[in-house]
Amino acid sequence: MKYYLRFDDLTFNPSYTYLFDRAYIKYKKFDEFIKNDIYFATRAKSNTKIELIRSLDLTSKDKEADVILDADVMLGDHTSETRMKHKTRLVRVKTTDRNGKEKIIDILTNHFDLELM
């Protein structure tokens, strides 16, 4: 007999930081995490609806580490039930994949107090 654990059935502990694959972007669950002081970080999917609220100044260390954006954002679509109630942080980074191709990745988190570098 196989047992499959669903994302919504997992138990999360306050003050921990959980890393999620892009497949697990769940706006309502992320709102719940924020409300309960549970931290997360995940890469954004290419179709993630992101509304920029405020762009933060980058330090020289951030720029040296190829950070190109640090911003407060709202996730989801305001015309549907997918919009989050709480803001999140978007960190956009320029990186190189294993084939040497340059690409941009977006990291979403509710850890607003972490320094990037």
Side-chain angles (χ1 to χ4, degrees):
M1 179 162 133
K2 291 185 179 182
Y3 177 75
Y4 296 98
L5 191 60
R6 295 178 335 131
F7 181 78
D8 291 335
D9 295 333
L10 297 174
T11 302
F12 298 95
N13 296 310
S15 301
Y16 283 50
T17 300
Y18 294 90
L19 303 176
F20 296 108
D21 182 65
R22 289 179 287 189
Y24 294 99
I25 292 182
K26 307 279 186 185
Y27 299 137
K28 288 183 182 188
K29 195 69 166 178
F30 288 167
D31 269 329
E32 187 179 307
F33 288 169
I34 293 167
K35 182 180 170 189
N36 294 310
D37 294 322
I38 298 168
Y39 299 102
F40 65 87
T42 187
R43 281 187 50 199
K45 291 181 179 182
S46 60
N47 65 346
T48 301
K49 300 285 186 199
I50 300 173
E51 178 188 338
L52 183 71
I53 296 172
R54 176 178 65 128
S55 182
L56 305 171
D57 293 331
L58 297 176
T59 67
S60 57
K61 280 186 173 183
D62 296 337
K63 293 174 186 175
E64 288 173 22
D66 289 327
V67 174
I68 55 178
L69 177 67
D70 186 6
D72 295 340
V73 299
M74 292 298 289
L75 300 179
D77 188 348
H78 69 279
T79 62
S80 70
E81 292 183 21
T82 63
R83 184 158 175 93
M84 286 185 62
K85 294 177 178 140
H86 301 93
K87 67 181 178 178
T88 58
R89 181 181 188 185
L90 167 68
V91 178
R92 183 168 287 155
V93 181
K94 182 172 48 172
T95 189
T96 306
D97 69 15
R98 64 181 126 197
N99 298 319
K101 184 179 176 186
E102 188 176 281
K103 63 188 219 174
I104 306 296
I105 61 170
D106 287 343
I107 301 165
L108 302 168
T109 185
N110 62 333
H111 241 309
F112 292 95
D113 58 339
L114 291 179
E115 289 187 33
L116 299 178
M117 289 293 138

